[in-house]
Every structure is written in structure tokens, then in C-alpha cells.
Amino acid sequence: MRKVKKATALLAVTAMVITSFAGCGKSNNDAASTKTKDTSNDKKTVENISLKVWSPQDDQKEVGSYSEGVLKELCKKFDEAHPEWNIKFTFGICAEGDALKNLKKDPAAGADVFMYTTDQLAGLVEAGITNPLAPTAEATMNKTMDEQAVSAVKSGDKLYGFPYTANSWFLYYNKSMFSADEVKSLDTMMAKKFDKGVYNFAIDVDNAWYNSAFFFANGDKLFGDDGTDAKKCTFNDAKGVEAGNYLLDLYKTKKVFDITNNNEKKLFQQGKIAATCSGTWDAVTYKKALGENYAAAKLPTVKMGGKDLQLSNFKSYKVVGVNSQTKAPKAALALAEYLASDEAQQVRLDAQSIAPTSKAISGKLAKADPAVKAINEQLQYSTLQPSISQMNNFWTPAQALGAGIIDGSVTKDNMQAKLDKMVDGILKGIK
């Protein structure tokens, strides 16, 4: 295997403080990996350590030239770059969005290094599951990474982990069915006529991560201007009613396919759906499915109040974090930093079409996959997903609104009442 240069100096090893606490979850599907080093001529002592690493399944399945997935390949490269450690790796599957839930079950039994999304940051910090980086980390990371990404891993005046990609969504479309100009406007897309049984547009209507984009487009706010005021939500004002009615009319066209458990993928491949909403995690799948008709773009505009308004979706960031109860803090922190490094981000970009946070790599995206370019453009219009604890109250009420639109229980006559109920649920005290 190709040898790599030693990783760059750590941002925060000397300031990592390990604290003790209780609670967290074990991961199933663990697979152990280790290596043997020839230490007979070494003058320095080689430390034997174990590192458990959690990541989503996509990181651990075959993609491109990586038969065992990108995570194991990156860990091998890290191992080669650190002869001072003899590392036994154990890998577990854990989606970024499930990190907090699984770690809270039993932190001590959880992963040393894990991936999480920034909407879980407050919970991870409050539970003491992860520790802050060194005070100098922010200035260093701002030089190499997108500043919004760096800000997203900040709680108070401290940083927690290394952001490696944005977590958001955009538009995929079949360019034999829509032109690049047509996908600029959702109203234009919906006006186009296709054969019977063909849907113009697919979106997860009763998923708050998606339906909220229509409210943000019309100027509504969730938890104030900066997403930190747990007592404010304007989704039930006049603009919110207008956004809710737009969604209702959109679904009533019968040209919208409601996404549930990836049920749109086969239809998209068959040309039964002209455009769909998803993130870079589906880039490889859709590229293979659509071939030369594969295309992607930022989200379209929607016409509300006589104005063309840009859909503004949630964005968060995916982060490599370190468990505060790890028994190998120096190695765990070094690995976390490496998994978010320029080298690792380039591997993810090339193999998985995962958009980087690295400034150096972002500046070279002219030839990147359309999905990477699409998400980078959409991020300019996205709304940073709040990370305060009150965010836990948002999902179920907003999901219920979408479900009501689908089953017909939400109407224009009761839209105000339904939105009032939704906002009451969002702002209620956390149990």
C-alpha cells in the first residue's frame, strides 16, 4: 500500500481534557481491523491502542476502487502515517443523525471517533459526550475550512469536532424531461405536461426537513433571526399561511410524488419522475440510474405573493467528533482531524461526490459532479439548522402538518388553525 506523509500537526491535542460521565449505546455490525508492525529496529516505543469508529453505512460499502469503503481505506492511510501507534480498529455503522441517541445509551461503550450532524451539537455538549478543541483551533480551521462550517461546530466560544461536508439537499432532474432553464422555477416545472403516470416533482411532503423550505422561502423564522431564541417561531403568521397553502395546492396537482423510504428511486430511474429532492448521498445512485440524462441544480424558486422566491432549505454540517471517554485521546483526536482533512475530503469527493468544506478543494470544483456544484450553489440560500435543544420539538408538529396535507385533513379553511397548533407544539416546554 502507498505510504503517506505524516499528518499535519494536531489542532488541539494538548488541550483535550477527558471527563467522566455516564450513559451511551453500543453499535451493532462491528468489524475489527488491525495490523502488525515490525518494531524490532524501532528506537521509540510503539503504543498498542484500540479505536472504535462509527460512520454511516455508505462509508463502509464498496464504492469505486474502495472494495471495503472509504472509511477503512482512510483509517489504513492514517495508520501508516503513525508508526508510533499500533492500532486495532473496530468499525460500527451509525448514521450521523443517530450519533447522539446511540452514544447517550452508554458513552463509555460507544465509539472513540464518530460522525454527527451539527443539529445534535447541543445535546452532545450538554451530555458531556464530547470535549472542546483547543482555543486556537478556530483561527486555524478558519484558514482552511469554510467559515460557516466552522461556526456550525461552535457552542458558546468553543469548537467541538471537525466539519467535513455540508448536510443539505437540492434538485436532481432528468435532463431529457426538463431543461436547465425550466428547473429554475417550480411553477414552470409543474406547468409542464407529461404522459399519464409520470410525476413532475418528488419531495417528502410530511418530512419537516423538506417542507420547511417553503416557509423559509417566504420569510418565516424558526427560533428567531439566528435560530437561538427558543420562544420564537413565525410559521403561523400570514406568510406561513401563504406557504402552507402553496404546499397544499402543490400536492393537489397530483403531479407531486410523496417520497417515503426511498420509494422514488426506481420511478426516477424509469423516467416516471422528472425531478426529485435529495442530497449528495444519492449522487452515485442517480448518476448510475440516469446515465447521460443525469443532472442536478439548486432548488427552484416558488411564486408566492406575486414574487418568485428562492426555496431555502435547512443546512447543517457533518462532523467528525471524539468521545470524551476515549481511552486513547491523542490518537482519537488525530484520527478525527485526519478524517476531515483535505486528503480525506478529496477521497470522499472523488469516490462519493461528497462536497468539501475545505477551501482549497472547493476552489477546484469546476469539473466536479453536478451534485457537488448544485449543493454548493444551494448553500448560499439555505437556512442554518438550529442546534438548540428546542429543535427537538420541531420535527413532529411539522411532520403532522405535511401528513395532513397528504391525507386531506389540512385545508385552506383550517390552515391557520393547523399552523397555530403546529407552532404551539414547537414552542412548548421540552419534556
Side-chain angles (χ1 to χ4, degrees):
M1 180 166 293
R2 180 176 63 87
K3 293 287 182 180
V4 294
K5 292 182 179 180
K6 186 103 172 180
T8 55
L10 298 180
L11 298 177
V13 172
T14 56
M16 185 84 175
V17 180
I18 302 301
T19 57
S20 297
F21 54 90
C24 194
K26 295 181 180 179
S27 170
N28 295 321
N29 306 312
D30 281 351
S33 173
T34 188
K35 63 159 185 212
T36 301
K37 288 186 177 179
D38 182 0
T39 60
S40 58
N41 295 320
D42 288 352
K43 294 182 179 180
K44 294 183 179 180
T45 301
V46 177
E47 183 181 3
N48 293 316
I49 60 174
S50 296
L51 288 177
K52 182 185 292 186
V53 185
W54 285 355
S55 79
Q57 187 171 21
D58 283 349
D59 279 358
Q60 299 184 50
K61 68 181 183 182
E62 182 177 1
V63 59
S65 61
Y66 304 109
S67 60
E68 296 184 288
V70 297
L71 178 65
K72 289 185 180 180
E73 179 65 21
L74 290 172
C75 285
K76 288 177 183 177
K77 289 182 177 181
F78 174 82
D79 195 19
E80 290 181 338
H82 288 277
E84 71 271 31
W85 296 314
N86 187 45
I87 308 173
K88 178 181 178 182
F89 286 104
T90 303
F91 301 97
I93 293 174
C94 178
E96 299 97 336
D98 293 333
L100 175 60
K101 176 182 69 176
N102 289 334
L103 285 165
K104 285 181 73 174
K105 295 175 185 176
D106 183 0
D112 299 281
V113 177
F114 58 94
M115 282 72 166
Y116 73 91
T117 49
T118 50
D119 57 292
Q120 299 174 80
L121 177 59
L124 289 166
V125 173
E126 288 171 8
I129 293 172
T130 189
N131 285 330
L133 304 181
T136 57
E138 183 172 6
T140 304
M141 290 170 69
N142 275 334
K143 291 179 182 178
T144 60
M145 291 187 178
D146 176 80
E147 291 185 8
Q148 284 194 334
V150 177
S151 295
V153 296
K154 181 183 286 189
S155 179
D157 60 351
K158 298 176 181 178
L159 300 183
Y160 295 82
F162 305 91
Y164 63 94
T165 189
N167 185 41
S168 194
W169 52 280
F170 47 91
L171 190 75
Y172 287 100
Y173 68 97
N174 186 324
K175 63 183 180 183
S176 73
M177 302 174 77
F178 281 133
S179 70
D181 192 57
E182 287 173 324
V183 298
K184 293 178 181 178
S185 165
L186 185 55
D187 297 274
T188 299
M189 292 168 63
M190 298 308 298
K192 192 163 186 176
K193 294 182 178 180
F194 293 111
D195 292 339
K196 185 178 180 180
V198 176
Y199 296 90
N200 295 46
F201 180 63
I203 189 170
D204 195 344
V205 178
D206 59 345
N207 185 325
W209 206 50
Y210 293 91
N211 64 32
S212 54
F214 294 84
F215 293 87
F216 292 133
N218 210 22
D220 281 310
K221 304 290 184 181
L222 178 63
F223 305 137
D225 290 336
D226 61 358
T228 62
D229 190 338
K231 297 180 180 180
K232 291 183 178 179
C233 176
T234 66
F235 279 35
N236 60 338
D237 64 7
K239 291 182 178 180
V241 172
E242 190 172 28
N245 285 336
Y246 185 97
L247 262 174
L248 186 63
D249 288 339
L250 182 68
Y251 189 71
K252 281 184 175 181
T253 64
K254 306 297 183 183
K255 296 181 178 182
V256 172
F257 184 83
D258 176 47
I259 298 173
T260 304
N261 296 325
N262 297 314
N263 60 349
E264 88 291 356
K265 285 183 168 56
K266 186 176 181 180
L267 294 177
F268 193 37
Q269 180 179 4
Q270 295 172 340
K272 298 293 182 65
I273 291 175
T276 188
C277 298
S278 191
T280 53
W281 54 86
D282 275 331
V284 174
T285 298
Y286 288 151
K287 186 188 302 184
K288 183 179 180 180
L290 296 185
E292 62 182 13
N293 291 321
Y294 169 75
K298 72 172 181 62
L299 293 177
T301 60
V302 293
K303 189 175 289 292
M304 286 189 273
K307 297 179 180 180
D308 290 318
L309 305 172
Q310 175 63 51
L311 284 174
S312 177
N313 54 344
F314 275 132
K315 68 175 175 183
S316 61
Y317 288 86
K318 295 182 180 181
V319 186
V320 189
V322 177
N323 191 330
S324 60
Q325 292 201 38
T326 180
K327 295 180 180 179
K330 188 173 182 179
L333 189 59
L335 176 62
E337 183 177 9
Y338 173 69
L339 291 177
S341 67
D342 283 9
E343 180 179 358
Q345 289 190 42
Q346 188 68 57
V347 168
R348 292 179 184 279
L349 174 63
D350 294 341
Q352 301 170 293
S353 294
I354 300 297
T357 57
S358 162
K359 289 180 179 179
I361 300 175
S362 294
K364 304 175 183 178
L365 293 180
K367 297 181 180 180
D369 186 286
V372 176
K373 290 188 282 188
I375 191 172
N376 273 7
E377 186 175 0
Q378 180 58 36
L379 289 174
Q380 301 174 49
Y381 306 103
S382 299
T383 299
L384 186 63
Q385 187 171 318
S387 61
I388 62 173
S389 298
Q390 195 74 15
M391 189 67 191
N392 294 325
N393 281 5
F394 172 72
W395 306 110
T396 300
Q399 178 185 9
L401 178 74
I405 288 174
I406 293 170
D407 66 25
S409 61
V410 173
T411 66
K412 288 187 177 181
D413 289 338
N414 67 17
M415 182 63 72
Q416 182 68 67
K418 293 293 186 179
L419 289 174
D420 288 341
K421 181 178 180 180
M422 180 182 80
V423 171
D424 284 345
I426 293 170
L427 299 182
K428 72 178 181 181
I430 298 176
K431 293 182 179 180

